Amino acid sequence: MKNSSLSIFILFLLGVSGYANAQELNCQVAVEAIQIESTERRVFDEMEVEFAKFLNDRKWADERFENNERINCGINITLESQPSLGNFQATVQVVSARPVFNSTYDAVMINYADRDFDFEYTESQPLDFQPTTFMSNITSILGFYAYMIIANDYDSFEKLGGQRYYEAAWQVVSNAQQSGYSGWDQFNSVRNRYWWAENSIDQVMEPMREAMYEYHIKGLDMMADNPEEGRTNILAALKKVQEVNRSKPRAIMVISFLDAKMDELVGIFSEGNMAERREVYNILKALEPAKTEQFGKILEN
């Protein structure tokens, strides 16, 4: 399998450092504030430290994680404006990765851009979070992504294994419905936290989640020992994704999958049987016509 430029970006973003008290997540947080005019720059450094502690030191899952089992992830926050003191308008890139069996390759699981990342934060502010209550927008957003990262990871190791964490993410969405912050409702966008969580618990999307298990366990995790069988199983998983897309066209879960896996899929299917490669190309360009040129690399060799 060929390493992609996205994989290099992921390794840069995620880093290898962890926290001594880490639970399930090994999350590196970066806050970019070059567009904010402020003499009090230390609050931005504090955000990085406190947001990372919030994600890494809190126990999100029921199971006990060993140090080497923590999920590598990254949250890159770009502060775009500060309408008032302590109030920030931002965007964020959320990334997570999963190790592939018998290799040094980390597969990107989530590569998601959130443009509704508005929040309030002041220096030394406590970050309070309750799974069943809206406490603040920043902790709700961070908690939402913690659950989604864990759910995606679990789904890749066990069929529908992330169910309870998707349900926890949906509870966070439900808690925030009346908050007035953007990104939590179904009306203003078809690509936001509401719809990602809704897709995750929608029974129509279950074959998509099953495909993620087959893609990783029967596909990627087999590539080192049997690349031909691994590619065949990944193609079978893509056919499930295609069927889901026919039932629910342009669902955010499908689009997010392609955002995370595009470079990986090009790398996997730039080798092997040409008939299989052509079939994969046709599936992918139908799923995401805007990326036809990138998927065309599958047929170049």
Side-chain angles (χ1 to χ4, degrees), residues 55-68:
L55 291 162
N56 292 318
D57 292 356
R58 187 176 299 268
K59 186 164 180 59
W60 301 98
D62 299 331
E63 295 81 1
R64 176 181 172 82
F65 275 53
E66 298 299 328
N67 233 27
N68 62 346

Side-chain angles (χ1 to χ4, degrees), residues 61-275:
D62 299 331
E63 295 81 1
R64 176 181 172 82
F65 275 53
E66 298 299 328
N67 233 27
N68 62 346
E69 295 175 327
R70 292 177 303 183
I71 303 167
N72 285 332
C73 51
I75 292 182
N76 190 14
I77 301 168
T78 301
L79 303 178
E80 297 185 333
S81 66
Q82 187 178 9
S84 59
L85 184 64
N87 188 288
F88 298 95
Q89 294 180 339
T91 60
V92 66
Q93 193 78 22
V94 181
V95 178
S96 69
R98 167 204 193 274
V100 173
F101 181 72
N102 220 11
S103 80
T104 58
Y105 178 75
D106 286 337
V108 180
M109 297 298 297
I110 294 173
N111 181 28
Y112 182 76
D114 186 341
R115 293 172 174 80
D116 294 310
F117 200 90
D118 302 340
F119 64 97
E120 295 175 353
Y121 184 82
T122 56
E123 197 170 355
S124 302
Q125 174 181 322
L127 295 176
D128 297 324
F129 177 79
Q130 293 294 333
T132 58
T133 305
F134 181 86
M135 306 293 288
S136 73
N137 205 44
I138 186 59
T139 58
S140 291
I141 293 175
L142 294 175
F144 171 82
Y145 283 118
Y147 287 132
M148 293 298 282
I149 288 167
I150 294 169
N152 271 265
D153 192 77
Y154 271 58
D155 262 12
S156 76
F157 286 102
E158 178 186 352
K159 190 176 292 187
L160 303 179
Q163 183 66 30
R164 59 193 177 280
Y165 302 109
Y166 282 129
E167 290 173 355
W170 179 248
Q171 180 65 59
V172 174
V173 173
S174 300
N175 299 341
Q177 287 288 285
Q178 305 303 318
S179 68
Y181 288 96
S182 58
W184 299 113
D185 64 81
Q186 60 185 299
F187 302 110
N188 295 324
S189 173
V190 295
R191 187 183 169 91
N192 62 10
R193 295 184 294 274
Y194 174 92
W195 287 111
W196 195 13
E198 187 274 345
N199 278 193
S200 302
I201 60 170
D202 185 350
Q203 288 188 347
V204 172
M205 302 300 294
E206 281 191 4
M208 172 82 196
R209 292 176 54 200
E210 292 172 355
M212 291 306 90
Y213 167 77
E214 294 165 9
Y215 180 106
H216 292 92
I217 292 292
K218 298 181 180 180
L220 282 185
D221 284 348
M222 294 188 64
M223 290 292 291
D225 295 330
N226 193 333
E228 291 79 12
E229 186 174 355
R231 278 191 287 268
T232 297
N233 291 336
I234 290 173
L235 172 55
L238 289 177
K239 289 178 180 178
K240 280 193 171 184
V241 175
Q242 185 179 40
E243 287 302 314
V244 168
N245 192 61
R246 287 170 179 157
S247 301
K248 201 163 185 172
R250 305 294 296 168
I252 186 174
M253 184 176 276
V254 173
I255 301 305
S256 296
F257 161 73
L258 293 173
D259 286 345
K261 296 298 188 182
M262 181 181 72
D263 286 354
E264 183 173 273
L265 285 163
V266 170
I268 291 169
F269 288 101
S270 292
E271 303 173 358
N273 180 283
M274 181 54 76

Side-chain angles (χ1 to χ4, degrees), residues 6 24 29:
L6 178 59
E24 298 83 15
V29 177

